[in-house]
Amino acid sequence: MKENYVVGSVDPALADGGEPRRSPTNRPDFQTVAAARYARRDVLRGGLALAVASLFAPAALRSAVAGAPSTAAGGRLGFEPVPVSSADTLVVPEGYRTQVILPWGEPITGSHPEFALENSGAEQAMQMGMHHDGMHFFPIEGEHPGHGSSDDGLLVVNHEYMEPRLLHAAAQGMPLQAFDVPLKEDGSRDPDQVLKEINAHGVSVVHIRRGDDGDWSAIRCRRNRRLTPETPVTIGGPLAGDPRLRTPFSPDGTRARGTLNNCSHGVTPWNTYLACEENWWLYFNREGDDAPASIARYNVGRFNIWRWHLAAANAEQDADRYLRFDATPRGEDAGADYRNEPHTFGYAVEFDLFDPDSVPVKRTHLGRFSHEGVVFAPAREGRPVVLYSGDDSPFEYIYKFVSRRPYAAATADGSLLDEGTLYAARFDADGTGTWLALVPGENGLAPENGFATVADVLLNSRGAADIAGATPMDRPEWGAVDPDTGAVYFTLTNNKRRSAEQVDGPNPRPNNHFGQIVRWYEAADDHAATRFTWELFVLAGDEDDSRNLAGEPLTADNRFAMPDGLYFDPDRRLWIQTDIADADQNSGSYAPMGNNAMLCADPDTGEIRRFLTGPMGQEITGCVSTPDRTTLFINVQHPGSTTSAEDFAAGRSSSRWPDYGAGPPRSATVAITRIDGGKVGS
Ligand code: FEO
Ligand code: CA
Ligand code: CA
């Protein structure tokens, strides 16, 4: 007998693209700072240019203001920009071709079950997960990132989240929105549906190879692997063994299960992968108002969108795999319930993708927050390892980690990430900035305010950065480091909640719809420095509300909104990917932007051109080139997510990408190449 399900709707505040509110720290009124930043460059471009620049401006800025040509002959961007699009297709410049690979559901490991709507939860764990995000291409014999074969390698792909309505046969015909779940009539959840949702998350490792015809294909390989939210992991760094990480699964607090909501990623100088945990806090039930700061400051329990814990009552076995998502204290202590489970998420999770048996490690010294991703500064022999990370929520911070021990290529490994100093960034109005050490005894952190130990700081990194006085940002997303100048770029995607009184240096617009990209230069070209100088690289927006590096408005060739993904290819092309929220796409102030897109910028001149437009409802994310730059991989995430509940019930979808049949739209990877075999973007 067919079972009946009812619609489990998401909280309207979340469906509206909203996120929990909090009151940001009151900041001085820096209303004029952005103008001042541009004015400074205008000064530099005038008669005083070189004299002033030589005192203050880093090399790249000097070359830009002096009008020096970019290094690539004829300019760094060698393609004609594509127009905005609201068509359900992927568009690239003339002379390019695209190939879709590894869509959600593609079998990659185990018994390789073929993709079908009826796939079970266990089968999903042998297939590509859903909603591809950050990724990296590791040449098969490579020993260092970006070196080795351009035809043969392991592609590692994060799966950020999923849409239950696309996953379940029982959901077809129901009036479900993207974030709704099918509930049983008693309000509980079906265990295998939940298991399938769990296993649609995590990370995929797939061996891919380019054939003589130029096409990429996945091959069956013992290294192919799925990490899921159930994969056993260990805790690394100062929080390993902390009582606050004790759970019934790990009574000594040294182990945990899996990784969740993996948005962007990082690649270590020793060629391992870090999957970052972004909106993990959405996955837990937590009742009561007595939560510690390490729960409450992260909004755990405010929204529990998937309600996975509600499958426990229906589970004939393994109820624990669902119960772990109920973080409400119900037992006598942390050994009797999962009150501490949320303390096992919010990290960057390292694993050796070349060893299919390697156990991932949560590197707790990199901080706990909504980790969008991490980006490493180029490693220098004998110097500390340095990486940067954004906390993607409105009014959250940008962080940096500096290792205690120096980097040595011959011996470097993940243990370098377990000792060091975590900093948060303060951007000052004069164009300088300071890295604030989040260390007990410094910057106001003390036992009296809850920060007696490094572990206290790491478990509540946000609270520590609040006290230290870091600058609340407009949702820090991806970072990228210029391989030549060392400049660090970060996307700040938007912040509609910033008021006129809250604007400050790198966040210069109230009610910020469009977002911006900031860049900074560490003092003395030393990534371990505690001082830096910053400027805005671009204020995104339409022709009436935007500025490029030259201080001019964007145009039809490059207007964009909500920058998210960011990637420097080895030739210093800066790739910018957009993620306009589902509810905003092709409407209101976002209408001129069309579908989400990818642009390419020249970091020296600030020139930007639109390179690609995606199908309906999706975001473009994930970006990595082969070492020879002839293939650029990107991900198309959540095509069709804008489909209304009514349309879904009627079998309609705003997108049928990439199959264009009767089946569901599917997130997938796209390999972009030039027909003449040249370097992408050049
Ligand atoms: Fe998962 Fe901040 O995007
Ligand atoms: Ca993102
Ligand atoms: Ca996103």
Side-chain angles (χ1 to χ4, degrees):
M1 192 179 79
K2 187 175 186 302
E3 190 160 10
N4 288 323
Y5 288 90
V6 297
V7 175
S9 291
V10 72
D11 186 312
L14 192 72
D16 191 33
E19 290 182 52
R21 289 171 187 275
R22 75 178 185 89
S23 302
T25 326
N26 271 336
R27 311 295 299 178
D29 180 5
F30 290 150
Q31 188 114 266
T32 56
V33 168
R37 297 277 73 222
Y38 281 104
R40 173 169 158 256
R41 183 170 25 254
D42 291 342
V43 169
L44 297 181
R45 300 166 92 205
L48 289 172
L50 287 179
V52 178
S54 61
L55 284 175
F56 296 108
L61 183 56
R62 281 206 298 278
S63 66
V65 296
S70 62
T71 50
R76 188 162 274 112
L77 314 182
F79 60 89
E80 289 299 313
V82 301
V84 296
S85 166
S86 54
D88 187 31
T89 187
L90 193 75
V91 179
V92 289
E94 207 171 311
Y96 285 82
R97 65 188 284 256
T98 60
Q99 182 201 356
V100 175
I101 59 171
L102 300 172
W104 155 55
E106 182 87 354
I108 58 169
T109 187
S111 61
H112 292 85
E114 283 303 316
F115 173 69
L117 191 55
E118 294 74 21
N119 287 140
S120 67
E123 287 171 330
Q124 174 65 82
M126 296 180 265
Q127 302 168 328
M128 288 295 287
M130 199 182 253
H131 288 6
H132 306 29
D133 208 322
M135 70 176 157
H136 191 74
F137 175 81
F138 291 87
I140 196 71
E141 81 288 15
E143 293 184 356
H144 307 288
H147 293 94
S149 174
S150 291
D151 302 315
D152 190 4
L154 298 173
L155 194 71
V156 185
V157 182
N158 286 349
H159 302 288
E160 186 182 27
Y161 70 104
M162 51 85 214
E163 283 176 61
R165 64 181 179 175
L166 301 182
L167 274 174
H168 307 310
Q172 306 315 299
M174 291 180 64
L176 295 165
Q177 301 185 72
F179 288 89
D180 292 342
V181 294
L183 295 177
K184 288 174 174 279
E185 285 176 322
D186 65 359
S188 66
R189 297 224 50 205
D190 174 81
D192 198 63
Q193 285 184 16
V194 171
L195 182 60
K196 193 173 182 185
E197 294 172 18
I198 290 172
N199 287 338
H201 287 72
V203 184
S204 293
V205 179
V206 194
H207 193 166
I208 59 171
R209 200 174 273 167
R210 180 156 56 177
D212 293 338
D213 59 359
D215 278 356
W216 288 89
S217 53
I219 58 179
R220 295 188 179 192
C221 170
R222 68 174 187 86
R223 282 167 161 157
N224 288 3
R225 182 179 186 185
R226 279 300 317 281
L227 304 186
T228 74
E230 296 196 336
T231 303
V233 302
T234 59
I235 307 294
L239 286 171
D242 190 284
R244 292 163 290 188
L245 271 73
R246 286 181 186 156
T247 64
F249 176 76
S250 179
D252 66 357
T254 60
R255 300 171 66 240
R257 274 177 285 186
T259 187
L260 268 179
N261 206 268
N262 302 106
C263 195
S264 182
H265 68 292
V267 181
T268 68
W270 45 96
N271 224 22
T272 59
Y273 186 88
L274 289 159
C276 296
E277 298 175 335
E278 191 191 18
N279 290 313
W280 51 274
W281 53 276
L282 289 167
Y283 292 69
F284 292 97
N285 183 58
R286 210 297 180 181
E287 296 162 21
D289 53 11
D290 57 343
S294 51
I295 299 286
R297 180 64 179 79
Y298 293 78
N299 299 300
V300 173
R302 186 178 169 106
F303 301 108
N304 171 24
I305 53 177
W306 313 123
R307 287 165 266 192
W308 288 346
H309 68 294
L310 296 179
N314 302 318
E316 285 165 17
Q317 52 190 1
D318 302 328
D320 191 62
R321 71 175 6 151
Y322 310 108
L323 275 179
R324 62 185 281 226
F325 295 102
D326 184 1
T328 307
R330 299 188 188 279
E332 291 224 320
D333 56 34
D337 57 41
Y338 280 103
R339 68 186 69 184
N340 284 339
E341 191 76 2
H343 289 158
T344 69
F345 290 95
Y347 304 107
V349 188
E350 184 187 16
F351 75 103
D352 177 3
L353 58 131
F354 290 100
D355 174 5
D357 301 319
S358 64
V359 177
V361 184
K362 300 210 171 189
R363 297 295 178 194
T364 62
H365 217 322
L366 309 187
R368 173 171 173 264
F369 41 88
S370 283
H371 261 290
E372 177 77 16
V374 299
V375 58
F376 284 76
R380 291 186 197 165
E381 198 72 17
R383 296 290 301 152
V385 171
V386 179
L387 60 87
Y388 302 90
S389 190
D391 182 351
D392 179 11
S393 265
F395 302 110
E396 293 299 343
Y397 307 116
I398 292 175
Y399 296 83
K400 157 163 124 171
F401 172 83
V402 179
S403 70
R404 186 182 70 77
R405 286 186 287 127
Y407 172 76
T411 58
D413 65 20
S415 67
L416 282 166
L417 305 180
D418 287 342
E419 291 176 83
T421 305
L422 186 67
Y423 298 86
R426 190 187 75 211
F427 293 79
D428 291 320
D430 63 357
T432 66
T434 300
W435 289 106
L436 304 162
L438 303 181
V439 172
E442 295 183 38
N443 294 308
L445 300 171
E448 307 85 80
N449 50 36
F451 297 100
T453 66
V454 172
D456 295 341
V457 166
L458 298 177
L459 196 65
N460 183 11
S461 308
R462 286 179 169 179
D466 290 342
I467 289 170
T471 300
M473 308 296 283
D474 286 345
R475 295 186 52 198
E477 297 254 22
W478 291 46
V481 178
D482 187 321
D484 187 4
T485 68
V488 187
Y489 291 66
F490 259 77
T491 51
L492 302 168
T493 198
N494 81 345
N495 186 355
K496 294 179 185 175
R497 290 187 211 138
R498 190 175 290 273
S499 68
E501 292 71 39
Q502 291 169 333
V503 298
D504 65 16
N507 309 284
R509 286 183 290 195
N511 187 23
N512 178 8
H513 279 221
F514 297 135
Q516 63 268 19
I517 299 176
V518 64
R519 71 177 176 187
W520 66 85
Y521 299 84
E522 299 283 5
D525 285 336
D526 178 5
H527 284 278
T530 55
R531 298 279 297 161
F532 60 91
T533 56
W534 65 268
E535 64 179 349
L536 290 168
F537 181 68
V538 59
L539 279 170
D542 58 25
E543 284 88 331
D544 297 327
D545 186 8
S546 62
R547 296 186 88 165
N548 64 15
L549 189 63
E552 295 156 350
L554 298 178
T555 69
D557 289 340
N558 60 12
R559 64 176 178 249
F560 68 100
M562 295 186 68
D564 186 347
L566 199 62
Y567 170 69
F568 263 112
D569 74 26
D571 289 335
R572 298 181 62 231
R573 280 176 216 91
L574 181 64
W575 299 90
I576 303 165
Q577 302 174 315
T578 73
D579 179 16
I580 300 168
D582 298 0
D584 291 328
Q585 290 181 31
N586 290 293
S587 69
S589 61
Y590 299 93
M593 315 304 177
N595 294 348
N596 279 311
M598 179 164 75
L599 304 97
C600 190
D602 183 324
D604 292 337
T605 64
E607 182 186 8
I608 302 173
R609 294 182 191 176
R610 192 181 301 105
F611 177 82
L612 172 153
T613 56
M616 294 292 286
Q618 52 72 50
E619 69 175 269
I620 301 292
T621 184
C623 193
V624 62
S625 69
T626 51
D628 67 3
R629 282 78 115 184
T630 63
T631 299
L632 188 73
F633 297 103
I634 59 130
N635 284 319
V636 172
Q637 187 193 98
H638 63 74
S641 65
T642 46
T643 303
S644 68
E646 183 186 19
D647 281 349
F648 183 79
R652 294 186 291 266
S653 177
S654 68
S655 177
R656 294 289 179 188
W657 191 90
D659 303 326
Y660 295 110
R666 297 159 84 185
S667 296
T669 301
V670 179
I672 302 168
T673 52
R674 260 170 59 165
I675 292 168
D676 67 3
K679 294 181 181 180
V680 175
S682 68

